[in-house]
Amino acid sequence: LTQPPPWGINTNIRLTLPVVCFVWQIAMIILFGVFIRYDEESDTHWVETKAHENITSDIENDFYFRYPSFQDVHVMIFVGFGFLMTFLKRYSFGAVGFNFLIASFGLQWALLMQGWFHSLDPHTGKIYIGVESLINADFCVAGCLIAYGAVLGKVSPVQLLVMTLFGITLFAVEEYIILNLLHARDAGGSMVIHTFGGYYGLAITWVLYRPNLHQSKRMQGSVYHSDAFAMIGTLFLWMFWPSFNSAITDHGDGQHRAAINTYLCLASTVLTTVAISSLSQKTGKLDMVHIQNSTLAGGVALGTAAEFMISPYGALIVGFFCGIISTMGYIFISPFLEKTLKIQDTCGIHNLHAMPGVIGGIVGAITAAAASESVYGKQGLINTFDFTGDFKDRSVLTQGGYQAAGMCVSIVFGVVGGAIVGSILKLPIWGDPADENCFDDEVYWEVREPATHHLLFTIQPLGGAIVFDLVSRDELQSTFERYI
C-alpha cells in the first residue's frame, strides 16, 4: 500500500496566515482606538440628548428601528452566503469557514473605510458608529463575499484576506462616488453591492485563469447532501432579502414599500426559474443549481428600485424576467464565459449578482426618470430621492441619468479594480492550490475522516495493481473484498 504526496506545490500557510491575521487584527485595534467612537444614540450621553431634544422614550433610539433588520442582514452574511457555497462535494469547510474569516475581517475594515468617507467628524477627527453603521459594514462585506463565489475553491485563505482588504477599499470609494457625489439612490445595493462585487470577482478569476483546472473536474461537482446544505443558504437569503433591501431606507413608507416590493419580486422569480429549469432538460427534471441561485436573482435586481413606486405588479414583472434571464445565464452564458473568455466562475456569480445587478441599475434608472408628482406627491418625491440641499432643484429625468451613471461607475470599479487585485493575487507567494487539487478541503483544513482517498493497492501474487481514485471508504473496502 502506497500513498503519493497529495499536493504538487507548497500550500503550507502555517506562517503566512497567522502573521496576516495577527498583524491585521492588531492594526484594527490600533485604528479603532484612534478613530472609532460610539455615536450619540449608543453613548451614555443619550440620556442628556433625550432631555435636550425633548425625546420622551428610548423607543425613539435608532437601535429599535434598525436592529431587527441588522439581525436579518447579519444572518444573510454569515449563514446565507456561507451555506449557499457548500454545494461542492469536498469544499464545505472552505465555503463556510473562509466566508466566516473574510466577513469577520471585512466588517472591521469596512467600519473604518466607510467611516472615513461618510461620517468622519471634521472637528474631532473621529468616526461615530451606531447600528446603521453595522448594517452598512455588512453590506460592504457582501460585495467581497460575492467576489469570493467566483474564486471558490481555487485560492488560499491568505489570498482571500488580501482580496477582501482591497475589495472593501474599492467598495468604499465607489459607494462614496455613487451615493454622495452622483447622489444616486441604491437602498438594496443592486449597483453598489451586486454589480461591483460581481464584476470584481469575475475580473479576479479572469486574471487567475487556470488552463489545467480540468484536472480538478472530479471535485467540481456536487453530491446529494452538499446540494441540500446549499439550499439552507438559499432559503435563509430568500427569506431575509426583504430586510436586506429595506434595511437602510427611510423609516416609514420607504422601508415598508421596499420590503413589500422585494417580497413579491422574489416570489415571482421562483416560478419562472422552475419553469426554465424544467424546460432546459429533455426529461423536464429540475437542476438544483438553478433553484439554489436563480431564485434569488429577483432580490438582487430590485435592490435599487425597492423603495421607489414601482407598484406591486411591477415588482412581479421584474421577478418574472429575472428568473428567466438568470437561469438562462447558467445554461448558456456560463459555458460561453469559460470557453471563450476564460472566466472560470465557480458559483456563477455572473448570473446571480452581476447580470441581475445591471438589470437592477437599469430598472432603477427608468423608474426614477418616470417618477411623477401625481404618483409620488411633491413631498414624496423629495423624500424618496432626497431632493434636498445641493440637489433640491434636480429633476427626475436628471436623477434617472445619474442612476445610470452610478451603474457604470460600479462596473468600472469592479472590472478595473478586480484586474489589478487579480494581478497581485497571481504572485506565487500566497500558497494557492495546484490545478489538480482545487475544490478540496484537505488542502487547508484538517479533515479527520476523509471521504475520498488517492490509494494504490498492489497485489503482489498477481503482479498487477488496482487504482481506486476518489471513492468512499465503504466503496473501496467493498470493491477490494470482491476483487479478493
Side-chain angles (χ1 to χ4, degrees):
L1 177 65
T2 62
Q3 184 170 354
W7 321 125
I9 61 175
N10 183 17
T11 56
N12 191 323
I13 51 174
R14 186 183 180 188
L15 179 61
T16 54
L17 182 60
V19 166
V20 169
C21 288
F22 275 122
V23 170
W24 287 9
Q25 187 56 58
I26 291 169
M28 291 300 104
I29 293 170
I30 294 170
L31 290 171
F32 268 62
V34 173
F35 290 103
I36 301 291
R37 298 292 183 270
Y38 301 119
D39 69 6
E40 64 176 9
E41 296 191 44
S42 55
D43 192 89
T44 53
H45 293 87
W46 167 244
V47 177
E48 299 168 12
T49 302
K50 282 198 301 178
H52 182 262
E53 299 183 7
N54 199 27
I55 298 173
T56 58
S57 172
D58 281 330
I59 200 66
E60 296 299 318
N61 191 299
D62 201 40
F63 176 85
Y64 297 100
F65 290 101
R66 300 292 187 192
Y67 191 73
S69 296
F70 165 71
Q71 285 181 303
D72 294 350
V73 172
H74 216 46
V75 169
M76 291 177 71
I77 295 300
F78 286 91
V79 179
F81 277 101
F83 274 89
L84 181 64
M85 293 187 281
T86 59
F87 67 94
L88 291 171
K89 65 179 73 173
R90 287 283 291 166
Y91 208 72
S92 296
F93 289 5
V96 178
F98 293 153
N99 184 92
F100 194 12
L101 172 66
I102 62 181
S104 297
F105 164 66
L107 65 87
Q108 297 175 71
W109 184 229
L111 285 169
L112 286 162
M113 286 301 305
Q114 290 179 312
W116 285 325
F117 277 98
H118 294 283
S119 56
L120 184 68
D121 190 309
H123 302 294
T124 64
K126 305 299 180 185
I127 299 167
Y128 296 93
I129 64 170
V131 66
E132 190 170 342
S133 307
L134 307 186
I135 296 172
N136 281 314
D138 277 0
F139 281 176
C140 193
V141 165
C144 292
L145 296 181
I146 290 166
Y148 176 34
V151 297
L152 182 72
K154 301 177 291 185
V155 294
S156 72
V158 179
Q159 285 175 302
L160 289 174
L161 286 169
V162 173
M163 185 181 81
T164 303
L165 177 73
F166 287 107
I168 296 292
T169 305
L170 289 165
F171 182 99
V173 176
E174 61 107 17
E175 180 187 47
Y176 178 76
I177 293 172
I178 293 170
L179 302 185
N180 292 64
L181 300 183
L182 299 179
H183 198 65
R185 305 292 285 175
D186 194 24
S190 292
M191 301 181 293
V192 173
I193 299 171
H194 299 285
T195 302
F196 165 76
Y199 286 105
Y200 180 62
L202 291 170
I204 290 175
T205 196
W206 175 69
V207 174
L208 298 181
Y209 174 70
R210 290 171 173 266
N212 297 314
L213 190 63
H214 63 274
Q215 295 176 4
S216 293
K217 191 72 175 177
R218 67 192 184 280
M219 304 295 287
Q220 204 167 351
S222 62
V223 291
Y224 191 84
H225 69 269
S226 67
D227 273 333
F229 270 105
M231 272 303 294
I232 295 173
T234 298
L235 292 175
F236 268 104
L237 291 169
W238 196 92
M239 289 188 298
F240 290 144
W241 216 295
S243 294
F244 190 94
N245 282 353
S246 64
I248 59 170
T249 52
D250 293 335
H251 296 320
D253 68 287
Q255 198 163 35
H256 199 165
R257 190 166 53 253
I260 292 172
N261 287 337
T262 307
Y263 175 91
L264 294 172
C265 187
L266 285 165
S268 179
T269 305
V270 173
L271 272 73
T272 50
T273 296
V274 169
I276 298 300
S277 182
S278 179
L279 284 171
S280 68
Q281 302 292 329
K282 291 182 179 179
T283 58
K285 294 181 180 180
L286 302 176
D287 189 331
M288 203 59 171
V289 172
H290 306 153
I291 309 305
Q292 288 163 357
N293 296 279
S294 296
T295 52
L296 302 171
V300 174
L302 205 69
T304 298
E307 62 179 327
F308 299 166
M309 292 286 285
I310 194 171
S311 78
Y313 78 89
L316 290 175
I317 291 172
V318 173
F320 181 93
F321 285 106
C322 272
I324 295 172
I325 294 170
S326 178
T327 310
M328 297 287 278
Y330 279 98
I331 298 169
F332 299 110
I333 299 178
S334 288
F336 170 80
L337 291 178
E338 182 165 355
K339 182 178 180 180
T340 306
L341 300 183
K342 310 300 181 185
I343 296 175
Q344 297 162 326
D345 181 7
T346 306
C347 291
I349 66 168
H350 177 265
N351 312 307
L352 173 54
H353 297 283
M355 192 162 54
V358 171
I359 294 171
I362 295 170
V363 170
I366 294 172
T367 309
S372 65
E373 194 171 313
S374 62
V375 175
Y376 285 78
K378 183 176 181 180
Q379 192 59 44
L381 277 176
I382 294 172
N383 290 343
T384 302
F385 297 103
D386 197 22
F387 288 154
T388 58
D390 295 337
F391 307 99
K392 62 184 171 108
D393 296 323
R394 178 177 285 187
S395 69
V396 291
L397 284 174
T398 303
Q399 181 65 32
Y402 278 104
Q403 293 286 148
M407 181 184 66
C408 296
V409 169
S410 65
I411 294 173
V412 169
F413 265 79
V415 173
V416 177
I420 295 171
V421 174
S423 300
I424 296 171
L425 298 180
K426 199 169 185 178
L427 297 173
I429 59 174
W430 307 114
D432 51 315
D435 289 343
E436 65 270 20
N437 296 309
C438 292
F439 315 115
D440 194 340
D441 274 332
E442 285 193 79
V443 180
Y444 301 113
W445 295 87
E446 187 66 37
V447 183
R448 288 177 175 79
E449 291 190 9
T452 56
H453 305 266
H454 300 264
L455 296 174
L456 174 66
F457 281 89
T458 302
I459 313 301
Q460 294 295 345
L462 302 179
I466 309 172
V467 177
F468 299 96
D469 187 32
L470 291 170
V471 295
S472 72
R473 183 175 293 172
D474 291 340
E475 288 179 303
L476 182 63
Q477 182 176 354
S478 174
T479 305
F480 187 67
E481 287 174 353
R482 286 200 304 271
Y483 181 86
I484 294 300

